[in-house]
Amino acid sequence: MAVERTFSMIKPDATRRNLTGAIIKTLEEAGLTVVASKRVWMSRREAEGFYAVHKERPFFGELVDSMSSGPTVVQVLQGENAIAKNREVMGATNPTEAAEGTIRKQFALSIGENSVHGSDAPETAAQEISYWFSETEIVG
Ligand code: ADP
């Protein structure tokens, strides 16, 4: 297995409930290492740009509202098979379908306010990391 980097976010619904530490603990226990991290309050424009792939979806407005409603912790995770491992520990998009022990099963409020984001493929990971971080901010 290769060591990979992936992009992760702790969304405003979770930072608002003071769940940042609990979520990072779950990620670290899964073998992922936080190699870059910062807290941002994204603008509507930044949220629209980040989620541009979803701009035609009916939930786009709600998603942008929610992502610009409070602080988000943006981070880069590193580890073996990090992209798939992070998706696994996050759980399904809809918390009612998420497996026991996953972050979304434990903490998500709804399909929209589902506490975390994680890249789904190497190409999106590279693109999403570079949306928020320069290479010098990542310390592996
Ligand atoms: P994931 O975050 O699991 O990769 P998607 O890429 O499909 O899921 O969707 C991106 C985000 O958009 C989700 O995490 C969620 O916050 C929001 N979202 C997805 N589907 C819905 C929906 N049906 N209603 C409201 N929000 C949604």
Side-chain angles (χ1 to χ4, degrees), residues 11 51 54 57 59 62-63 87 90-93 104 111-114 116-118 120:
K11 297 182 176 183
Y51 279 115
H54 293 310
R57 308 285 286 275
F59 57 81
E62 187 187 319
L63 178 59
R87 297 285 302 183
M90 285 163 57
T93 309
R104 284 168 166 170
I111 189 168
E113 295 200 306
N114 58 6
V116 281
H117 166 86
D120 59 5

mmCIF file with all atom_site columns, all heavy atoms in Angstrom, residues 11 51 54 57 59 62-63 87 90-93 104 111-114 116-118 120, ligand 1:
data_model
loop_
_atom_site.group_PDB
_atom_site.id
_atom_site.type_symbol
_atom_site.label_atom_id
_atom_site.label_alt_id
_atom_site.label_comp_id
_atom_site.label_asym_id
_atom_site.label_entity_id
_atom_site.label_seq_id
_atom_site.pdbx_PDB_ins_code
_atom_site.Cartn_x
_atom_site.Cartn_y
_atom_site.Cartn_z
_atom_site.occupancy
_atom_site.B_iso_or_equiv
_atom_site.pdbx_formal_charge
_atom_site.auth_seq_id
_atom_site.auth_comp_id
_atom_site.auth_asym_id
_atom_site.auth_atom_id
_atom_site.pdbx_PDB_model_num
ATOM   1   N N   . LYS A 1 11  ? -16.617 20.210 9.292  1.00 0.00 ? 11  LYS A N   1
ATOM   2   C CA  . LYS A 1 11  ? -17.566 21.217 8.807  1.00 0.00 ? 11  LYS A CA  1
ATOM   3   C C   . LYS A 1 11  ? -18.149 22.047 9.965  1.00 0.00 ? 11  LYS A C   1
ATOM   4   O O   . LYS A 1 11  ? -18.090 21.632 11.131 1.00 0.00 ? 11  LYS A O   1
ATOM   5   C CB  . LYS A 1 11  ? -18.694 20.509 8.045  1.00 0.00 ? 11  LYS A CB  1
ATOM   6   C CG  . LYS A 1 11  ? -18.223 19.770 6.779  1.00 0.00 ? 11  LYS A CG  1
ATOM   7   C CD  . LYS A 1 11  ? -19.422 19.140 6.061  1.00 0.00 ? 11  LYS A CD  1
ATOM   8   C CE  . LYS A 1 11  ? -19.023 18.480 4.767  1.00 0.00 ? 11  LYS A CE  1
ATOM   9   N NZ  . LYS A 1 11  ? -20.213 17.936 4.045  1.00 0.00 ? 11  LYS A NZ  1
ATOM   10  N N   . TYR A 1 51  ? -17.097 23.627 -4.026 1.00 0.00 ? 51  TYR A N   1
ATOM   11  C CA  . TYR A 1 51  ? -18.127 22.632 -4.366 1.00 0.00 ? 51  TYR A CA  1
ATOM   12  C C   . TYR A 1 51  ? -18.692 22.843 -5.783 1.00 0.00 ? 51  TYR A C   1
ATOM   13  O O   . TYR A 1 51  ? -19.812 22.405 -6.052 1.00 0.00 ? 51  TYR A O   1
ATOM   14  C CB  . TYR A 1 51  ? -19.248 22.668 -3.331 1.00 0.00 ? 51  TYR A CB  1
ATOM   15  C CG  . TYR A 1 51  ? -18.936 21.898 -2.053 1.00 0.00 ? 51  TYR A CG  1
ATOM   16  C CD1 . TYR A 1 51  ? -18.809 22.540 -0.826 1.00 0.00 ? 51  TYR A CD1 1
ATOM   17  C CD2 . TYR A 1 51  ? -18.796 20.504 -2.065 1.00 0.00 ? 51  TYR A CD2 1
ATOM   18  C CE1 . TYR A 1 51  ? -18.540 21.828 0.341  1.00 0.00 ? 51  TYR A CE1 1
ATOM   19  C CE2 . TYR A 1 51  ? -18.521 19.792 -0.903 1.00 0.00 ? 51  TYR A CE2 1
ATOM   20  C CZ  . TYR A 1 51  ? -18.396 20.450 0.292  1.00 0.00 ? 51  TYR A CZ  1
ATOM   21  O OH  . TYR A 1 51  ? -18.140 19.729 1.445  1.00 0.00 ? 51  TYR A OH  1
ATOM   22  N N   . HIS A 1 54  ? -20.861 20.444 -7.752 1.00 0.00 ? 54  HIS A N   1
ATOM   23  C CA  . HIS A 1 54  ? -22.265 20.206 -7.362 1.00 0.00 ? 54  HIS A CA  1
ATOM   24  C C   . HIS A 1 54  ? -23.194 21.370 -7.734 1.00 0.00 ? 54  HIS A C   1
ATOM   25  O O   . HIS A 1 54  ? -24.326 21.418 -7.276 1.00 0.00 ? 54  HIS A O   1
ATOM   26  C CB  . HIS A 1 54  ? -22.359 19.992 -5.838 1.00 0.00 ? 54  HIS A CB  1
ATOM   27  C CG  . HIS A 1 54  ? -21.711 18.728 -5.360 1.00 0.00 ? 54  HIS A CG  1
ATOM   28  N ND1 . HIS A 1 54  ? -21.962 17.499 -5.918 1.00 0.00 ? 54  HIS A ND1 1
ATOM   29  C CD2 . HIS A 1 54  ? -20.816 18.503 -4.355 1.00 0.00 ? 54  HIS A CD2 1
ATOM   30  C CE1 . HIS A 1 54  ? -21.252 16.571 -5.278 1.00 0.00 ? 54  HIS A CE1 1
ATOM   31  N NE2 . HIS A 1 54  ? -20.536 17.156 -4.343 1.00 0.00 ? 54  HIS A NE2 1
ATOM   32  N N   . ARG A 1 57  ? -26.808 20.783 -8.629 1.00 0.00 ? 57  ARG A N   1
ATOM   33  C CA  . ARG A 1 57  ? -27.609 19.916 -7.759 1.00 0.00 ? 57  ARG A CA  1
ATOM   34  C C   . ARG A 1 57  ? -28.614 20.740 -6.944 1.00 0.00 ? 57  ARG A C   1
ATOM   35  O O   . ARG A 1 57  ? -28.338 21.895 -6.621 1.00 0.00 ? 57  ARG A O   1
ATOM   36  C CB  . ARG A 1 57  ? -26.690 19.130 -6.791 1.00 0.00 ? 57  ARG A CB  1
ATOM   37  C CG  . ARG A 1 57  ? -25.549 18.390 -7.472 1.00 0.00 ? 57  ARG A CG  1
ATOM   38  C CD  . ARG A 1 57  ? -25.991 17.134 -8.188 1.00 0.00 ? 57  ARG A CD  1
ATOM   39  N NE  . ARG A 1 57  ? -26.297 16.068 -7.252 1.00 0.00 ? 57  ARG A NE  1
ATOM   40  C CZ  . ARG A 1 57  ? -25.390 15.232 -6.729 1.00 0.00 ? 57  ARG A CZ  1
ATOM   41  N NH1 . ARG A 1 57  ? -24.102 15.359 -7.035 1.00 0.00 ? 57  ARG A NH1 1
ATOM   42  N NH2 . ARG A 1 57  ? -25.765 14.276 -5.905 1.00 0.00 ? 57  ARG A NH2 1
ATOM   43  N N   . PHE A 1 59  ? -29.376 20.692 -3.923 1.00 0.00 ? 59  PHE A N   1
ATOM   44  C CA  . PHE A 1 59  ? -28.960 21.050 -2.569 1.00 0.00 ? 59  PHE A CA  1
ATOM   45  C C   . PHE A 1 59  ? -27.808 22.051 -2.544 1.00 0.00 ? 59  PHE A C   1
ATOM   46  O O   . PHE A 1 59  ? -27.296 22.381 -1.469 1.00 0.00 ? 59  PHE A O   1
ATOM   47  C CB  . PHE A 1 59  ? -28.565 19.789 -1.777 1.00 0.00 ? 59  PHE A CB  1
ATOM   48  C CG  . PHE A 1 59  ? -27.481 18.953 -2.407 1.00 0.00 ? 59  PHE A CG  1
ATOM   49  C CD1 . PHE A 1 59  ? -26.142 19.288 -2.272 1.00 0.00 ? 59  PHE A CD1 1
ATOM   50  C CD2 . PHE A 1 59  ? -27.806 17.815 -3.135 1.00 0.00 ? 59  PHE A CD2 1
ATOM   51  C CE1 . PHE A 1 59  ? -25.137 18.526 -2.848 1.00 0.00 ? 59  PHE A CE1 1
ATOM   52  C CE2 . PHE A 1 59  ? -26.799 17.030 -3.718 1.00 0.00 ? 59  PHE A CE2 1
ATOM   53  C CZ  . PHE A 1 59  ? -25.469 17.400 -3.571 1.00 0.00 ? 59  PHE A CZ  1
ATOM   54  N N   . GLU A 1 62  ? -28.168 25.213 -0.241 1.00 0.00 ? 62  GLU A N   1
ATOM   55  C CA  . GLU A 1 62  ? -28.154 24.787 1.166  1.00 0.00 ? 62  GLU A CA  1
ATOM   56  C C   . GLU A 1 62  ? -26.723 24.433 1.607  1.00 0.00 ? 62  GLU A C   1
ATOM   57  O O   . GLU A 1 62  ? -26.291 24.755 2.713  1.00 0.00 ? 62  GLU A O   1
ATOM   58  C CB  . GLU A 1 62  ? -29.063 23.553 1.239  1.00 0.00 ? 62  GLU A CB  1
ATOM   59  C CG  . GLU A 1 62  ? -29.364 22.987 2.585  1.00 0.00 ? 62  GLU A CG  1
ATOM   60  C CD  . GLU A 1 62  ? -30.136 21.654 2.442  1.00 0.00 ? 62  GLU A CD  1
ATOM   61  O OE1 . GLU A 1 62  ? -31.031 21.573 1.571  1.00 0.00 ? 62  GLU A OE1 1
ATOM   62  O OE2 . GLU A 1 62  ? -29.817 20.712 3.169  1.00 0.00 ? 62  GLU A OE2 1
ATOM   63  N N   . LEU A 1 63  ? -25.987 23.769 0.707  1.00 0.00 ? 63  LEU A N   1
ATOM   64  C CA  . LEU A 1 63  ? -24.610 23.360 1.002  1.00 0.00 ? 63  LEU A CA  1
ATOM   65  C C   . LEU A 1 63  ? -23.719 24.601 1.187  1.00 0.00 ? 63  LEU A C   1
ATOM   66  O O   . LEU A 1 63  ? -22.941 24.680 2.145  1.00 0.00 ? 63  LEU A O   1
ATOM   67  C CB  . LEU A 1 63  ? -24.102 22.464 -0.138 1.00 0.00 ? 63  LEU A CB  1
ATOM   68  C CG  . LEU A 1 63  ? -22.672 21.953 -0.067 1.00 0.00 ? 63  LEU A CG  1
ATOM   69  C CD1 . LEU A 1 63  ? -22.427 21.130 1.190  1.00 0.00 ? 63  LEU A CD1 1
ATOM   70  C CD2 . LEU A 1 63  ? -22.359 21.103 -1.319 1.00 0.00 ? 63  LEU A CD2 1
ATOM   71  N N   . ARG A 1 87  ? -12.376 7.916  3.823  1.00 0.00 ? 87  ARG A N   1
ATOM   72  C CA  . ARG A 1 87  ? -13.776 7.733  3.417  1.00 0.00 ? 87  ARG A CA  1
ATOM   73  C C   . ARG A 1 87  ? -14.445 6.667  4.289  1.00 0.00 ? 87  ARG A C   1
ATOM   74  O O   . ARG A 1 87  ? -15.607 6.801  4.657  1.00 0.00 ? 87  ARG A O   1
ATOM   75  C CB  . ARG A 1 87  ? -13.865 7.321  1.940  1.00 0.00 ? 87  ARG A CB  1
ATOM   76  C CG  . ARG A 1 87  ? -13.341 8.346  0.946  1.00 0.00 ? 87  ARG A CG  1
ATOM   77  C CD  . ARG A 1 87  ? -14.234 9.514  0.716  1.00 0.00 ? 87  ARG A CD  1
ATOM   78  N NE  . ARG A 1 87  ? -15.546 9.159  0.245  1.00 0.00 ? 87  ARG A NE  1
ATOM   79  C CZ  . ARG A 1 87  ? -16.488 10.047 -0.079 1.00 0.00 ? 87  ARG A CZ  1
ATOM   80  N NH1 . ARG A 1 87  ? -16.256 11.349 0.045  1.00 0.00 ? 87  ARG A NH1 1
ATOM   81  N NH2 . ARG A 1 87  ? -17.670 9.664  -0.499 1.00 0.00 ? 87  ARG A NH2 1
ATOM   82  N N   . MET A 1 90  ? -15.083 8.109  7.770  1.00 0.00 ? 90  MET A N   1
ATOM   83  C CA  . MET A 1 90  ? -16.149 9.115  7.706  1.00 0.00 ? 90  MET A CA  1
ATOM   84  C C   . MET A 1 90  ? -17.531 8.474  7.722  1.00 0.00 ? 90  MET A C   1
ATOM   85  O O   . MET A 1 90  ? -18.449 8.979  8.349  1.00 0.00 ? 90  MET A O   1
ATOM   86  C CB  . MET A 1 90  ? -16.044 9.923  6.396  1.00 0.00 ? 90  MET A CB  1
ATOM   87  C CG  . MET A 1 90  ? -14.933 10.941 6.346  1.00 0.00 ? 90  MET A CG  1
ATOM   88  S SD  . MET A 1 90  ? -14.621 11.438 4.629  1.00 0.00 ? 90  MET A SD  1
ATOM   89  C CE  . MET A 1 90  ? -16.230 12.017 4.111  1.00 0.00 ? 90  MET A CE  1
ATOM   90  N N   . GLY A 1 91  ? -17.711 7.411  6.951  1.00 0.00 ? 91  GLY A N   1
ATOM   91  C CA  . GLY A 1 91  ? -19.023 6.774  6.810  1.00 0.00 ? 91  GLY A CA  1
ATOM   92  C C   . GLY A 1 91  ? -19.820 7.369  5.652  1.00 0.00 ? 91  GLY A C   1
ATOM   93  O O   . GLY A 1 91  ? -19.414 8.356  5.040  1.00 0.00 ? 91  GLY A O   1
ATOM   94  N N   . ALA A 1 92  ? -20.986 6.774  5.385  1.00 0.00 ? 92  ALA A N   1
ATOM   95  C CA  . ALA A 1 92  ? -21.815 7.177  4.242  1.00 0.00 ? 92  ALA A CA  1
ATOM   96  C C   . ALA A 1 92  ? -22.269 8.629  4.377  1.00 0.00 ? 92  ALA A C   1
ATOM   97  O O   . ALA A 1 92  ? -22.422 9.146  5.488  1.00 0.00 ? 92  ALA A O   1
ATOM   98  C CB  . ALA A 1 92  ? -23.022 6.259  4.144  1.00 0.00 ? 92  ALA A CB  1
ATOM   99  N N   . THR A 1 93  ? -22.513 9.273  3.223  1.00 0.00 ? 93  THR A N   1
ATOM   100 C CA  . THR A 1 93  ? -22.947 10.679 3.175  1.00 0.00 ? 93  THR A CA  1
ATOM   101 C C   . THR A 1 93  ? -24.160 10.907 4.073  1.00 0.00 ? 93  THR A C   1
ATOM   102 O O   . THR A 1 93  ? -24.218 11.871 4.829  1.00 0.00 ? 93  THR A O   1
ATOM   103 C CB  . THR A 1 93  ? -23.307 11.062 1.715  1.00 0.00 ? 93  THR A CB  1
ATOM   104 O OG1 . THR A 1 93  ? -22.218 10.697 0.865  1.00 0.00 ? 93  THR A OG1 1
ATOM   105 C CG2 . THR A 1 93  ? -23.594 12.537 1.585  1.00 0.00 ? 93  THR A CG2 1
ATOM   106 N N   . ARG A 1 104 ? -19.613 9.993  10.807 1.00 0.00 ? 104 ARG A N   1
ATOM   107 C CA  . ARG A 1 104 ? -20.957 10.490 10.495 1.00 0.00 ? 104 ARG A CA  1
ATOM   108 C C   . ARG A 1 104 ? -22.030 9.780  11.322 1.00 0.00 ? 104 ARG A C   1
ATOM   109 O O   . ARG A 1 104 ? -23.015 10.404 11.728 1.00 0.00 ? 104 ARG A O   1
ATOM   110 C CB  . ARG A 1 104 ? -21.208 10.387 8.995  1.00 0.00 ? 104 ARG A CB  1
ATOM   111 C CG  . ARG A 1 104 ? -20.463 11.507 8.237  1.00 0.00 ? 104 ARG A CG  1
ATOM   112 C CD  . ARG A 1 104 ? -20.441 11.274 6.767  1.00 0.00 ? 104 ARG A CD  1
ATOM   113 N NE  . ARG A 1 104 ? -20.036 12.462 6.011  1.00 0.00 ? 104 ARG A NE  1
ATOM   114 C CZ  . ARG A 1 104 ? -19.756 12.442 4.719  1.00 0.00 ? 104 ARG A CZ  1
ATOM   115 N NH1 . ARG A 1 104 ? -19.838 11.315 4.033  1.00 0.00 ? 104 ARG A NH1 1
ATOM   116 N NH2 . ARG A 1 104 ? -19.411 13.550 4.097  1.00 0.00 ? 104 ARG A NH2 1
ATOM   117 N N   . ILE A 1 111 ? -28.124 14.590 6.239  1.00 0.00 ? 111 ILE A N   1
ATOM   118 C CA  . ILE A 1 111 ? -27.332 14.353 5.014  1.00 0.00 ? 111 ILE A CA  1
ATOM   119 C C   . ILE A 1 111 ? -26.559 15.620 4.616  1.00 0.00 ? 111 ILE A C   1
ATOM   120 O O   . ILE A 1 111 ? -25.462 15.528 4.069  1.00 0.00 ? 111 ILE A O   1
ATOM   121 C CB  . ILE A 1 111 ? -28.219 13.823 3.861  1.00 0.00 ? 111 ILE A CB  1
ATOM   122 C CG1 . ILE A 1 111 ? -27.372 13.369 2.678  1.00 0.00 ? 111 ILE A CG1 1
ATOM   123 C CG2 . ILE A 1 111 ? -29.271 14.840 3.437  1.00 0.00 ? 111 ILE A CG2 1
ATOM   124 C CD1 . ILE A 1 111 ? -28.117 12.580 1.624  1.00 0.00 ? 111 ILE A CD1 1
ATOM   125 N N   . GLY A 1 112 ? -27.102 16.798 4.895  1.00 0.00 ? 112 GLY A N   1
ATOM   126 C CA  . GLY A 1 112 ? -26.425 18.050 4.545  1.00 0.00 ? 112 GLY A CA  1
ATOM   127 C C   . GLY A 1 112 ? -25.381 18.423 5.585  1.00 0.00 ? 112 GLY A C   1
ATOM   128 O O   . GLY A 1 112 ? -24.231 18.712 5.261  1.00 0.00 ? 112 GLY A O   1
ATOM   129 N N   . GLU A 1 113 ? -25.795 18.393 6.863  1.00 0.00 ? 113 GLU A N   1
ATOM   130 C CA  . GLU A 1 113 ? -24.879 18.747 7.953  1.00 0.00 ? 113 GLU A CA  1
ATOM   131 C C   . GLU A 1 113 ? -24.275 17.456 8.503  1.00 0.00 ? 113 GLU A C   1
ATOM   132 O O   . GLU A 1 113 ? -24.702 16.938 9.541  1.00 0.00 ? 113 GLU A O   1
ATOM   133 C CB  . GLU A 1 113 ? -25.615 19.556 9.020  1.00 0.00 ? 113 GLU A CB  1
ATOM   134 C CG  . GLU A 1 113 ? -26.064 20.905 8.442  1.00 0.00 ? 113 GLU A CG  1
ATOM   135 C CD  . GLU A 1 113 ? -26.345 21.939 9.499  1.00 0.00 ? 113 GLU A CD  1
ATOM   136 O OE1 . GLU A 1 113 ? -27.148 21.641 10.404 1.00 0.00 ? 113 GLU A OE1 1
ATOM   137 O OE2 . GLU A 1 113 ? -25.764 23.047 9.413  1.00 0.00 ? 113 GLU A OE2 1
ATOM   138 N N   . ASN A 1 114 ? -23.302 16.950 7.725  1.00 0.00 ? 114 ASN A N   1
ATOM   139 C CA  . ASN A 1 114 ? -22.768 15.618 8.033  1.00 0.00 ? 114 ASN A CA  1
ATOM   140 C C   . ASN A 1 114 ? -21.313 15.654 8.524  1.00 0.00 ? 114 ASN A C   1
ATOM   141 O O   . ASN A 1 114 ? -20.572 14.692 8.373  1.00 0.00 ? 114 ASN A O   1
ATOM   142 C CB  . ASN A 1 114 ? -22.965 14.681 6.837  1.00 0.00 ? 114 ASN A CB  1
ATOM   143 C CG  . ASN A 1 114 ? -22.311 15.211 5.595  1.00 0.00 ? 114 ASN A CG  1
ATOM   144 O OD1 . ASN A 1 114 ? -21.615 16.218 5.632  1.00 0.00 ? 114 ASN A OD1 1
ATOM   145 N ND2 . ASN A 1 114 ? -22.517 14.517 4.480  1.00 0.00 ? 114 ASN A ND2 1
ATOM   146 N N   . VAL A 1 116 ? -18.221 16.074 8.282  1.00 0.00 ? 116 VAL A N   1
ATOM   147 C CA  . VAL A 1 116 ? -16.887 15.954 7.676  1.00 0.00 ? 116 VAL A CA  1
ATOM   148 C C   . VAL A 1 116 ? -16.964 15.854 6.151  1.00 0.00 ? 116 VAL A C   1
ATOM   149 O O   . VAL A 1 116 ? -17.983 15.455 5.589  1.00 0.00 ? 116 VAL A O   1
ATOM   150 C CB  . VAL A 1 116 ? -16.114 14.711 8.207  1.00 0.00 ? 116 VAL A CB  1
ATOM   151 C CG1 . VAL A 1 116 ? -15.516 14.961 9.575  1.00 0.00 ? 116 VAL A CG1 1
ATOM   152 C CG2 . VAL A 1 116 ? -16.956 13.461 8.186  1.00 0.00 ? 116 VAL A CG2 1
ATOM   153 N N   . HIS A 1 117 ? -15.847 16.211 5.534  1.00 0.00 ? 117 HIS A N   1
ATOM   154 C CA  . HIS A 1 117 ? -15.653 16.020 4.090  1.00 0.00 ? 117 HIS A CA  1
ATOM   155 C C   . HIS A 1 117 ? -14.358 15.246 3.898  1.00 0.00 ? 117 HIS A C   1
ATOM   156 O O   . HIS A 1 117 ? -13.414 15.427 4.672  1.00 0.00 ? 117 HIS A O   1
ATOM   157 C CB  . HIS A 1 117 ? -15.524 17.383 3.387  1.00 0.00 ? 117 HIS A CB  1
ATOM   158 C CG  . HIS A 1 117 ? -14.998 17.263 1.989  1.00 0.00 ? 117 HIS A CG  1
ATOM   159 N ND1 . HIS A 1 117 ? -15.812 17.012 0.918  1.00 0.00 ? 117 HIS A ND1 1
ATOM   160 C CD2 . HIS A 1 117 ? -13.726 17.304 1.506  1.00 0.00 ? 117 HIS A CD2 1
ATOM   161 C CE1 . HIS A 1 117 ? -15.061 16.906 -0.187 1.00 0.00 ? 117 HIS A CE1 1
ATOM   162 N NE2 . HIS A 1 117 ? -13.796 17.086 0.146  1.00 0.00 ? 117 HIS A NE2 1
ATOM   163 N N   . GLY A 1 118 ? -14.302 14.432 2.871  1.00 0.00 ? 118 GLY A N   1
ATOM   164 C CA  . GLY A 1 118 ? -13.045 13.778 2.496  1.00 0.00 ? 118 GLY A CA  1
ATOM   165 C C   . GLY A 1 118 ? -12.991 13.556 1.000  1.00 0.00 ? 118 GLY A C   1
ATOM   166 O O   . GLY A 1 118 ? -14.007 13.192 0.385  1.00 0.00 ? 118 GLY A O   1
ATOM   167 N N   . ASP A 1 120 ? -12.514 11.977 -2.657 1.00 0.00 ? 120 ASP A N   1
ATOM   168 C CA  . ASP A 1 120 ? -12.940 10.636 -3.080 1.00 0.00 ? 120 ASP A CA  1
ATOM   169 C C   . ASP A 1 120 ? -11.986 9.948  -4.057 1.00 0.00 ? 120 ASP A C   1
ATOM   170 O O   . ASP A 1 120 ? -12.214 8.796  -4.413 1.00 0.00 ? 120 ASP A O   1
ATOM   171 C CB  . ASP A 1 120 ? -14.368 10.679 -3.651 1.00 0.00 ? 120 ASP A CB  1
ATOM   172 C CG  . ASP A 1 120 ? -14.500 11.602 -4.846 1.00 0.00 ? 120 ASP A CG  1
ATOM   173 O OD1 . ASP A 1 120 ? -13.476 12.150 -5.308 1.00 0.00 ? 120 ASP A OD1 1
ATOM   174 O OD2 . ASP A 1 120 ? -15.641 11.772 -5.331 1.00 0.00 ? 120 ASP A OD2 1
HETATM 175 P P1  . ADP B 2 .   ? -19.631 13.178 0.249  1.00 0.00 ? 1   ADP B P1  1
HETATM 176 O O1  . ADP B 2 .   ? -19.402 14.393 1.121  1.00 0.00 ? 1   ADP B O1  1
HETATM 177 O O2  . ADP B 2 .   ? -19.980 11.947 1.068  1.00 0.00 ? 1   ADP B O2  1
HETATM 178 O O3  . ADP B 2 .   ? -18.509 12.927 -0.738 1.00 0.00 ? 1   ADP B O3  1
HETATM 179 P P2  . ADP B 2 .   ? -21.258 14.236 -1.976 1.00 0.00 ? 1   ADP B P2  1
HETATM 180 O O4  . ADP B 2 .   ? -19.988 14.556 -2.700 1.00 0.00 ? 1   ADP B O4  1
HETATM 181 O O5  . ADP B 2 .   ? -22.306 13.458 -2.708 1.00 0.00 ? 1   ADP B O5  1
HETATM 182 O O6  . ADP B 2 .   ? -20.965 13.459 -0.598 1.00 0.00 ? 1   ADP B O6  1
HETATM 183 O O7  . ADP B 2 .   ? -21.952 15.591 -1.493 1.00 0.00 ? 1   ADP B O7  1
HETATM 184 C C1  . ADP B 2 .   ? -21.194 16.650 -0.974 1.00 0.00 ? 1   ADP B C1  1
HETATM 185 C C2  . ADP B 2 .   ? -21.915 17.225 0.228  1.00 0.00 ? 1   ADP B C2  1
HETATM 186 O O8  . ADP B 2 .   ? -23.148 17.817 -0.197 1.00 0.00 ? 1   ADP B O8  1
HETATM 187 C C3  . ADP B 2 .   ? -22.337 16.200 1.296  1.00 0.00 ? 1   ADP B C3  1
HETATM 188 O O9  . ADP B 2 .   ? -21.307 15.856 2.182  1.00 0.00 ? 1   ADP B O9  1
HETATM 189 C C4  . ADP B 2 .   ? -23.481 16.939 1.978  1.00 0.00 ? 1   ADP B C4  1
HETATM 190 O O10 . ADP B 2 .   ? -22.999 17.918 2.902  1.00 0.00 ? 1   ADP B O10 1
HETATM 191 C C5  . ADP B 2 .   ? -24.136 17.661 0.807  1.00 0.00 ? 1   ADP B C5  1
HETATM 192 N N1  . ADP B 2 .   ? -25.260 16.857 0.269  1.00 0.00 ? 1   ADP B N1  1
HETATM 193 C C6  . ADP B 2 .   ? -25.168 15.757 -0.518 1.00 0.00 ? 1   ADP B C6  1
HETATM 194 N N2  . ADP B 2 .   ? -26.393 15.263 -0.813 1.00 0.00 ? 1   ADP B N2  1
HETATM 195 C C7  . ADP B 2 .   ? -27.292 16.085 -0.193 1.00 0.00 ? 1   ADP B C7  1
HETATM 196 C C8  . ADP B 2 .   ? -28.725 16.130 -0.109 1.00 0.00 ? 1   ADP B C8  1
HETATM 197 N N3  . ADP B 2 .   ? -29.478 15.213 -0.741 1.00 0.00 ? 1   ADP B N3  1
HETATM 198 N N4  . ADP B 2 .   ? -29.289 17.120 0.611  1.00 0.00 ? 1   ADP B N4  1
HETATM 199 C C9  . ADP B 2 .   ? -28.532 18.061 1.249  1.00 0.00 ? 1   ADP B C9  1
HETATM 200 N N5  . ADP B 2 .   ? -27.177 18.080 1.196  1.00 0.00 ? 1   ADP B N5  1
HETATM 201 C C10 . ADP B 2 .   ? -26.564 17.118 0.499  1.00 0.00 ? 1   ADP B C10 1
#
